[in-house]
Amino acid sequence: MIGLRRWPQKMLLVTASAALGIAYTFRPLYASNQNHKFLIGLAKVGFGSIDRDWLIGTADPIPAFSFLVETTYRALGEWPFYLEFLLLMIPYLAGLLALFEVVGGDRAGANARWTFVTAVIVVHSALLGDLTSAFFRFDLRDALTDGLAYQSILDHYLQPSLFGVFLVLSVARFAQNKPWQAMAFAAIPPAVHFTYFIMASVLASTYLVLLIKDDRRVSRRVVALSLLYGLAIAPTLLYTLRTFGPSSPDMFQRAQHILAVERIPHHCVASRWFDEVALFRLAWVLLALGFVWGTRLFTVLTVSLLVSASLSTVQIVSGSDSLALLFPWRASTLLVPVATAIILSRLILTLSEVSRGPGTAWLLLAHVVRGLLLVLVTFYGADLIYKRFQNDSSVEFRELTRYVCSQRSTIQTFVVPIERGHGEIENFRTRTRVPVYVDFKSHPYKDSEVLEWSRRVAFCDSLYRELRHSGQISPQAGDELRRMKVTHLLWQGAVPPYLSDEAILYRNQRFAVVDLEKLLPNREEVR
């Protein structure tokens, strides 16, 4: 890469990437999707008694990521997960910087280059998002960096989708006429997270067609690059088809509907996410395409946009749950940040030309402004991270998890309330390291297992309704709980007066732990 070949300058890239990760901010372990994505990997290294959890026995949709979690935790524990998050900022920022050099060409001097890096960090900063949300009720940071359908490459924690950063670097490397690197980087995301299969394959196919056009034939280079990509993704593709193929047409259709419409409609149902912000992002991408008209970069991005738009239209018109779960609109997670990089590049290059003068005073001012902005957004992000680590959950939830951890040896499995929005209960399993009968956040993907998950969710809803209504558990529910070796129940909210005190093992202002043996109907009485 121009300007980054010498070791000190590479270290500057690493430092800037760390600043990007801090300014963007990250959350304490385990947060949101980590409660699901880390589970199988953690179970293999003796993470409490999680290995007895029902979900651990289901098919793993992300075996490569689970292996990363397992090997990382086994070697060094939990802290490297934060380091891995920051390390993945390096290919992301390197890709965006390479795009700046593609757009700028000979005009992309050192001063303009580091102005661009500063702009990228500011645009991705929590400070920008918080300021624009407070004053305009519009999160400009998310609008300029996230894709459609509440999906994005970056998020505030390590997870499989974060490996999409290599797609940014892949596009940049191809635009720099480095097809081997471009193809290798394109193969990494789908190998880790199969959701990227369509995006990466469209990019790879576009690269090959453009190379055939350049070579005027199917050259050995094209064949070799095809084999490189095919061999890299073949294991994941074959594993996914073999493991998650339909058990039967009816079972597969029902499971797909449950996932698309009941579990993740915010990702799958267009009416839930296609709004004015989505229109802004699409217009932003089109504006960026205008700036690179007639270039190889324009062709690559336009093909991705057209394929994504076509498949998205087919899904919306047909209502196909299976196509929705392939997320044809996920290409926007690549197109939006790339568009932001292109537009920032043109803006910075134009300003650099306009302000070019005697030099010394301007350069000094540029250094000062860049430094102040970097310090401001990085310290704001660091302060936000510190506060999250100090207070990432309520006092009551922390007290609850401490109690459960102290009693882990006496617990077989917990049953917890079904919480369909974001809340603390989704963190219960990983914070306490005990098995949970089912929760709404963490779900399997194989059709038969999705149907079992759905049955368990319905059972929990029914169980808690029974308890709220009468304080008693029906014989049928009791049989299910005994069969699944559920020994404890988590209650959220005010405890009903008809729940006996002897059944309540622990309580605070928001939560209670109930000994199910004291509530289950006696088998002799049932007979």
Side-chain angles (χ1 to χ4, degrees):
M1 182 184 298
I2 298 172
L4 291 175
R5 291 173 182 169
R6 294 190 299 274
W7 177 252
Q9 291 173 317
K10 290 182 179 180
M11 290 306 299
L12 282 174
L13 174 63
V14 172
T15 303
S17 300
L20 171 62
I22 293 170
Y24 188 78
T25 74
F26 52 87
R27 296 168 59 183
L29 294 170
Y30 294 90
S32 191
N33 290 344
Q34 288 182 324
N35 292 302
H36 180 198
K37 309 297 186 184
F38 277 60
L39 206 57
I40 291 179
L42 291 174
K44 294 178 179 178
V45 292
F47 191 75
S49 54
I50 288 292
D51 59 314
R52 300 201 309 265
D53 196 290
W54 165 75
L55 198 61
I56 300 304
T58 61
D60 187 0
I62 45 172
F65 186 78
S66 295
F67 178 75
L68 173 66
V69 171
E70 178 189 355
T71 52
T72 299
Y73 191 94
R74 195 183 298 279
L76 296 169
E78 293 179 323
W79 70 265
F81 294 136
Y82 299 113
L83 178 60
E84 288 165 355
F85 169 85
L86 292 174
L87 287 174
L88 285 170
M89 295 296 116
I90 297 175
Y92 183 72
L93 182 57
L96 296 180
L97 184 54
L99 288 170
F100 170 76
E101 293 166 355
V102 168
V103 173
D106 295 336
R107 297 178 298 162
N111 187 58
R113 187 157 50 247
W114 291 109
T115 300
F116 173 79
V117 170
T118 302
V120 166
I121 294 173
V122 170
V123 165
H124 286 78
S125 69
L127 178 58
L128 178 66
D130 289 349
L131 285 176
T132 53
S133 295
F135 287 100
F136 307 108
R137 296 184 179 180
F138 176 75
D139 191 327
L140 184 61
R141 190 264 298 269
D142 287 354
L144 297 180
T145 61
D146 290 359
L148 304 177
Y150 303 101
Q151 294 179 322
S152 60
I153 288 177
L154 296 189
D155 211 329
H156 301 280
Y157 43 82
L158 178 69
Q159 62 171 333
S161 62
L162 190 58
F163 284 81
V165 296
F166 289 101
L167 293 178
V168 177
L169 188 54
S170 172
V171 169
R173 287 293 186 252
F174 189 78
Q176 291 180 316
N177 199 28
K178 298 177 180 179
W180 287 97
Q181 291 185 35
M183 197 66 79
F185 288 134
I188 294 174
V192 177
H193 195 22
F194 190 71
T195 300
Y196 283 116
F197 175 73
I198 292 179
M199 286 175 62
S201 297
V202 169
L203 287 177
S205 300
T206 306
Y207 299 162
L208 293 173
V209 170
L210 289 175
L211 290 174
I212 291 171
K213 182 181 178 182
D214 290 345
D215 297 345
R216 298 184 179 180
R217 60 191 177 90
V218 180
S219 62
R220 290 182 179 179
R221 178 176 66 161
V222 171
V223 173
L225 287 168
S226 302
L227 288 173
L228 169 65
Y229 182 76
L231 291 173
I233 69 166
T236 303
L237 177 61
L238 294 174
Y239 170 83
T240 301
L241 293 175
R242 178 170 54 86
T243 306
F244 299 99
S247 299
S248 72
D250 176 66
M251 188 179 293
F252 188 76
Q253 184 177 2
R254 286 190 291 143
Q256 297 279 283
H257 185 76
I258 288 169
L259 290 178
V261 178
E262 298 179 21
R263 174 58 189 87
I264 50 172
H266 53 291
H267 291 322
C268 295
V269 180
S271 60
R272 298 283 294 269
W273 53 260
F274 195 81
D275 53 15
E276 60 276 7
V277 179
L279 290 173
F280 170 83
R281 289 180 175 125
L282 292 174
W284 189 251
V285 170
L286 292 175
L287 175 62
L289 289 176
F291 285 139
V292 292
W293 178 274
T295 66
R296 175 175 284 194
L297 181 58
F298 171 83
T299 304
V300 170
L301 298 179
T302 300
V303 170
S304 291
L305 177 62
L306 291 177
V307 172
S308 177
S310 300
L311 291 177
S312 298
T313 302
V314 170
Q315 192 286 320
I316 292 169
V317 172
S318 67
S320 169
D321 295 326
S322 297
L323 184 53
L325 289 168
L326 290 175
F327 308 123
W329 34 78
R330 197 176 187 106
S332 61
T333 63
L334 169 68
L335 294 171
V336 173
V338 167
T340 297
I342 291 170
I343 293 171
L344 284 177
S345 299
R346 290 299 298 266
L347 178 62
I348 289 168
L349 291 167
T350 301
L351 290 176
S352 296
E353 290 177 355
V354 170
S355 58
R356 186 172 295 166
T360 304
W362 162 247
L363 285 176
L364 179 62
L365 178 62
H367 288 319
V368 170
V369 171
R370 284 198 302 262
L372 288 175
L373 284 174
L374 286 174
V375 168
L376 180 63
V377 298
T378 304
F379 270 82
Y380 183 87
D383 181 63
L384 196 57
I385 292 169
Y386 175 79
K387 290 176 180 176
R388 285 174 178 168
F389 274 75
Q390 293 297 309
N391 189 27
D392 67 318
S393 58
S394 67
V395 173
E396 294 85 359
F397 187 74
R398 292 198 297 271
E399 291 174 350
L400 165 71
T401 56
R402 279 196 294 268
Y403 169 78
V404 174
C405 287
S406 71
Q407 303 296 313
R408 191 183 298 140
S409 61
T410 67
I411 297 168
Q412 284 281 350
T413 301
F414 252 91
V415 63
V416 300
I418 298 302
E419 189 175 56
R420 287 176 168 81
H422 287 294
E424 293 180 311
I425 290 178
E426 69 181 29
N427 303 323
F428 182 80
R429 182 191 274 115
T430 49
R431 297 297 172 88
T432 62
R433 307 187 181 191
V434 300
V436 168
Y437 175 77
V438 74
D439 74 341
F440 194 73
K441 179 68 177 179
S442 303
H443 62 87
Y445 288 85
K446 186 172 176 59
D447 52 12
S448 58
E449 294 166 350
V450 170
L451 296 180
E452 170 61 13
W453 171 83
S454 180
R455 184 195 70 81
R456 289 180 176 230
V457 168
F459 170 81
C460 280
D461 282 335
S462 175
L463 174 66
Y464 279 91
R465 279 196 302 268
E466 285 182 2
L467 287 172
R468 288 190 184 92
H469 178 69
S470 64
Q472 297 180 344
I473 296 176
S474 68
Q476 295 81 4
D479 288 342
E480 168 73 5
L481 293 169
R482 285 195 177 98
R483 184 171 65 89
M484 295 299 172
K485 299 180 180 180
V486 180
T487 56
H488 293 71
L489 178 142
L490 176 63
W491 190 271
Q492 185 178 30
V495 177
Y498 38 71
L499 280 180
S500 64
D501 288 339
E502 69 171 349
I504 299 174
L505 301 175
Y506 168 85
R507 77 164 79 190
N508 61 35
Q509 292 181 334
R510 292 184 56 219
F511 300 101
V513 174
V514 179
D515 183 355
L516 275 177
E517 284 297 324
K518 302 290 177 37
L519 292 183
L520 293 177
N522 186 283
R523 285 190 174 94
E524 284 72 22
E525 292 177 1
V526 171
R527 291 193 186 99

